Amino acid sequence: MQQIILALVIGGAFGAVLDLIGASNPSVLGKMLSLKALGIMKAILLAIGLLLILTFGGQMAGLVDVGHMSVKTAETGVFVGGMILGIGWALSGYCPGTGVCALGSGRRDALFFVAGGLIGAWAYTLAYDSVKATGLLNPILGGKVTLGQVPGAKYDALFPALPGDVVGIVLGLVFIVVAFVIPERKAA
Amino acid sequence: MTVSWKLGGLLLGIVFFAAILLVKPIGVSTQFVVLDGVIADMINPDTIVAGAEGPSSPVSYFNKYAKDIANPWNYGFVFVVAMAIGAGISAAARGAFGGEGPVPALWRANFGASPWKRYMGALLGGIIVVFGARLAGGCTSGHMMSGMGQTAVSGFIFSAGTFLTAVPVALMLYKQEG
């Protein structure tokens, strides 16, 4: 029950924030991806930077449970799948999460995006065994790894000599600097 | 954007952090598979079968998510439903429920006002996006935000692939700003 309440609260807040920053507006996303207006990119970079600093700073301070980390496997399929997703993201202006939000905020075209998403998931379900047979889903670069070795985490590191929490904080600062430096609009 | 990028980024960062602090990193695209599984099980009840070691499925990809398909009202699925509700409340509160009608401004400027053309673009986009997300094992939330936010190598690989195609395709499609 507690999990369901957390899902409602965090999920609801996530949806509201995505609406507020314009992430569920395909025009905003299309202008970002065609490099016309980068305000939303700045917001995303700032968010990732803050997330890195809060997560790893919190771990160092003993306030964040390292066990809550969930690192996905690095595979060739991650790159290929990302490339496929990117085409559809540019075409529709939606990714899975923002499409669901757009549907909730009454955008009628999002109904077609979500229906398409269900078809895409079904197509992948049918294709799964053949995709697996190609080796695209085999781990690369060590599989479930972080950049540096995070103390107390169950994951290995791509660069085991580096302290993962420090890497995270430094990277977070880099993301935030980039967020501030890139222009909101392309220079004329 | 209705809020500044600084406030927006701050709020977005806090939500993702709250998820990691209290439960686990945010992810969305898995729930499309779960809903497909629920629908498939309604049409053919043999899609998910009960067993001594819990639910399983003869369909290998559904089998990975058999437990969630058998009981979808858990954290991940409720989270995605709550996202839609939260976005709806937010949009209604700022008087923007329904968006700009069926055709977004940028699309209209480049492809005209035909709703069905837009609907077909959104449908095709949805098919491509979620197929790609499942092959990648995650989407913008799980790989890009949560993944890079944990310094996961997979998150960087995903983001590189995504922008490698998304930017050129968007540059090709959206020549007019609208």
Side-chain angles (χ1 to χ4, degrees):
Chain A
M1 193 61 210
Q2 197 204 351
Q3 290 268 311
I4 299 295
I5 292 168
L6 283 170
L8 284 171
V9 172
I10 305 174
F14 185 37
V17 170
L18 286 176
D19 173 74
L20 277 179
I21 65 174
S24 49
N25 180 343
S27 299
V28 173
L29 255 294
K31 284 183 195 175
M32 174 190 95
L33 293 175
S34 57
L35 310 176
K36 291 179 175 67
L38 298 175
I40 184 93
M41 192 76 238
K42 288 161 79 78
I44 292 170
L45 289 167
L46 175 61
I48 298 174
L50 285 171
L51 179 61
L52 281 161
I53 291 172
L54 289 170
T55 301
F56 290 106
Q59 284 184 8
M60 281 171 141
L63 299 171
V64 175
D65 184 355
V66 182
H68 283 200
M69 283 180 75
S70 174
V71 171
K72 293 175 189 275
T73 313
E75 305 157 353
T76 313
V78 173
F79 187 70
V80 178
M83 285 178 68
I84 294 172
L85 182 146
I87 297 168
W89 194 20
L91 174 62
S92 62
Y94 294 127
C95 57
T98 58
V100 167
C101 289
L103 178 60
S105 61
R107 285 181 181 270
R108 215 175 307 158
D109 58 333
L111 188 61
F112 289 83
F113 175 83
V114 171
L118 291 171
I119 297 171
W122 174 67
Y124 187 73
T125 301
L126 297 181
Y128 178 67
D129 288 327
S130 345
V131 170
K132 208 172 171 193
T134 62
L136 274 175
L137 304 181
N138 297 342
I140 55 168
L141 300 170
K144 287 180 191 280
V145 293
T146 48
L147 290 176
Q149 187 66 54
V150 179
K154 58 186 174 191
Y155 305 107
D156 289 333
L158 185 60
F159 305 107
L162 297 175
D165 42 8
V166 177
V167 170
I169 289 175
V170 171
L171 197 66
L173 292 172
V174 172
F175 269 99
I176 292 175
V177 169
V178 174
F180 274 89
V181 168
I182 60 171
E184 203 147 356
R185 296 195 64 90
K186 197 165 61 173
Chain B
M1 288 217 290
T2 51
V3 296
S4 75
W5 69 268
K6 285 178 202 160
L7 178 60
L10 180 68
L11 293 173
L12 194 58
I14 289 172
V15 171
F16 270 88
F17 177 64
I20 289 186
L21 179 69
L22 299 172
V23 193
K24 60 178 180 182
I26 289 174
V28 175
S29 67
T30 306
Q31 303 310 322
F32 280 82
V33 182
V34 172
L35 185 53
D36 271 350
V38 169
I39 295 168
D41 195 46
M42 278 179 191
I43 297 167
N44 175 6
D46 294 335
T47 306
I48 300 292
V49 287
E53 288 166 29
S56 64
S57 174
V59 183
S60 55
Y61 198 56
F62 283 153
N63 193 42
K64 284 168 65 107
Y65 305 102
K67 216 177 109 204
D68 293 330
I69 295 170
N71 170 30
W73 295 108
N74 53 26
Y75 180 81
F77 194 74
V78 172
F79 188 97
V80 173
V81 174
M83 281 175 70
I85 297 170
I89 292 172
S90 168
R94 59 187 182 86
F97 192 84
E100 0 161 39
V103 186
L106 183 67
W107 181 279
R108 186 188 302 257
N110 288 277
F111 303 109
S114 156
W116 280 98
K117 202 167 168 185
R118 170 61 188 164
Y119 293 159
M120 289 307 109
L123 182 80
L124 182 62
I127 296 172
I128 299 170
V129 162
V130 177
F131 187 92
R134 291 331 300 157
L135 171 56
C139 62
T140 335
S141 304
H143 265 314
M144 197 179 288
M145 303 282 306
S146 303
M148 289 203 293
Q150 300 176 89
T151 71
V153 170
S154 50
F156 294 95
I157 295 174
F158 173 82
S159 305
T162 303
F163 284 108
L164 198 64
T165 55
V167 171
V169 172
L171 283 170
M172 226 161 56
L173 290 176
Y174 307 120
K175 297 221 159 62
Q176 306 298 323
E177 170 134 13

